[in-house]
C-alpha cells in the first residue's frame, strides 16, 4: 500500500529537473529588484536634494561614482559649503547588489530647483554589472530636466 523505492526516486528526479529549470527565473527576479531599488534610491535622493536646494536657497551637489571592481557604486550629496546632506547608517550610500553607475558625475541643483547647466538635460545611467557579459545589457536612465529639475526614469 505504499510507494516503491523506484517510484520515489523517479519523483525526486522530476522535482530536481523542475527546480533546475525554475532557478534562473528567480535569479533574474532578484536582479530586477536590485535595479529597481537602486533607481528608486537615486531618484529619491535627487528629489530630496532638489527640495533642499529650493527650501534652503542654495546650490546642492549630487556626486556619483562608478566602480570597476567588485565593490559597489556609491554616491553622496553636499551643499555649497561641502557639508553632507544625506544621513545614513553607512559612511556613504551605495547601490544594491550588482547595479552600478555607468560613469562618474556630478549633478548640481540651483536654488530655483533647476540644474546649474541651464536647459541641458542631465542623465545618470545605472546598469546591472552581471548583465554586461550577456548580449542584452540591463540598464535604466534617469533624466533630469535642466530647466525645471523634473526627474524621470527611462
Amino acid at each position: 500500500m505504499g510507494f516503491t523505492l523506484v517510484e520515489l526516486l523517479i519523483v525526486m528526479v522530476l522535482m530536481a529537473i523542475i527546480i533546475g529549470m525554475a532557478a534562473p527565473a528567480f535569479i533574474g527576479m532578484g536582479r530586477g529588484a536590485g535595479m529597481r531599488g537602486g533607481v528608486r534610491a537615486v531618484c529619491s535622493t535627487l528629489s530630496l536634494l532638489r527640495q533642499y536646494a529650493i527650501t534652503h536657497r542654495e546650490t546642492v551637489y549630487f556626486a556619483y561614482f562608478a566602480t570597476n571592481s567588485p565593490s559597489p557604486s556609491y554616491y553622496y550629496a553636499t551643499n555649497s559649503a561641502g557639508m553632507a546632506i544625506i544621513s545614513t547608517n553607512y559612511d556613504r550610500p551605495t547601490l544594491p547588489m550588482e547595479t552600478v553607475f555607468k560613469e562618474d558625475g556630478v549633478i548640481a541643483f540651483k536654488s530655483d530647483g533647476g540644474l546649474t547647466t541651464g536647459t541641458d538635460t542631465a542623465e545618470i545611467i545605472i546598469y546591472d554589472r552581471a548583465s554586461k557579459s550577456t548580449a542584452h545589457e540591463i540598464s535604466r536612465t534617469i533624466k533630469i530636466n535642466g530647466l525645471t529639475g523634473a526627474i524621470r526614469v527611462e
Side-chain angles (χ1 to χ4, degrees), residues 7 60 63 88 99 132 140:
E7 291 171 333
V60 294
T88 65
T99 55
K132 194 144 178 105
R140 296 288 179 269

Side-chain angles (χ1 to χ4, degrees), residues 71-93:
S71 62
S73 287
Y74 64 96
Y75 57 92
Y76 63 87
T78 63
N79 63 6
S80 53
M83 293 176 42
I85 294 174
I86 299 175
S87 175
T88 65
N89 294 336
Y90 310 105
D91 60 347
R92 60 183 183 231

Side-chain angles (χ1 to χ4, degrees), residues 12-97:
M12 289 177 60
V13 167
L14 290 174
M15 293 291 287
I17 291 171
I18 291 170
I19 289 172
M21 289 174 19
F26 288 112
I27 292 170
M29 197 166 51
R31 261 194 226 127
M35 176 66 75
R36 283 188 303 277
V39 169
R40 191 176 308 121
V42 170
C43 285
S44 295
T45 302
L46 289 169
S47 180
L48 170 80
L49 290 178
R50 182 174 177 273
Q51 293 170 7
Y52 186 94
I54 294 168
T55 305
H56 292 86
R57 307 286 302 159
E58 66 177 317
T59 302
V60 294
Y61 303 92
F62 176 81
Y64 55 97
F65 303 93
T67 55
N68 294 327
S69 65
S71 62
S73 287
Y74 64 96
Y75 57 92
Y76 63 87
T78 63
N79 63 6
S80 53
M83 293 176 42
I85 294 174
I86 299 175
S87 175
T88 65
N89 294 336
Y90 310 105
D91 60 347
R92 60 183 183 231
T94 59
L95 293 179
M97 298 174 73

Side-chain angles (χ1 to χ4, degrees), residues 127-147:
Y127 73 97
D128 185 350
R129 188 184 347 220
S131 74
K132 194 144 178 105
S133 60
T134 64
H136 179 66
E137 180 179 278
I138 301 169
S139 67
R140 296 288 179 269
T141 303
I142 300 170
K143 292 192 175 189
I144 304 110
N145 184 303
L147 191 59

